[in-house]
Amino acid sequence: MKKKYDTFADFYPFYLSQHQDVICRRLHFIGSALILLLIVWVVMTQYWSALIAIPLLGYGFAWVGHFFFEKNRPATFTYPIYSLIGDWVMFKDMITGKIKL
């Protein structure tokens, strides 16, 4: 039986355990950074339909990292909301140097 996480604080250590490979983390970082750049570009150009690319950028880079480098199943499949939050907390932690990029 899979552990059920009641809080994000309980989930985040598990999330980090699924991101031990530096290439996987870097791919997550690239995908998240591209999402932010896309959002800025969309706001500047008003080309709102481009927002449809957000899942492709976010999940595309992350899943390549998991399937080919980390060799595990993305937490998104079991914990979609906590995993999404984890992506952005890990992104922040990488920017601030708390987690090696």
Side-chain angles (χ1 to χ4, degrees):
M1 177 181 230
K2 291 191 188 281
K3 179 169 173 43
K4 181 176 177 347
Y5 295 97
D6 294 319
T7 68
F8 178 74
D10 291 337
F11 172 78
Y12 194 55
F14 165 74
Y15 178 86
L16 291 178
S17 77
Q18 301 301 296
H19 296 87
Q20 297 294 310
D21 184 87
V22 70
I23 296 173
C24 180
R25 286 195 309 271
R26 287 176 181 166
L27 286 168
H28 274 69
F29 186 89
I30 291 167
S32 296
L34 288 174
I35 287 170
L36 294 176
L37 289 172
L38 175 67
I39 290 170
V40 169
W41 179 79
V42 165
V43 169
M44 291 174 55
T45 64
Q46 304 292 300
Y47 188 58
W48 302 106
S49 61
L51 292 174
I52 199 164
I54 286 176
L56 178 64
L57 291 173
Y59 291 123
F61 280 89
W63 289 356
V64 166
H66 283 285
F67 294 131
F68 294 101
F69 297 98
E70 195 74 54
K71 307 254 194 263
N72 64 12
R73 186 172 184 261
T76 301
F77 296 134
T78 309
Y79 307 101
I81 302 301
Y82 283 163
S83 181
L84 178 62
I85 296 167
D87 288 341
W88 292 106
V89 172
M90 186 172 72
F91 182 75
K92 183 257 316 165
D93 288 346
M94 287 188 280
I95 287 174
T96 61
K98 188 174 179 183
I99 295 176
K100 184 180 177 198
L101 178 59

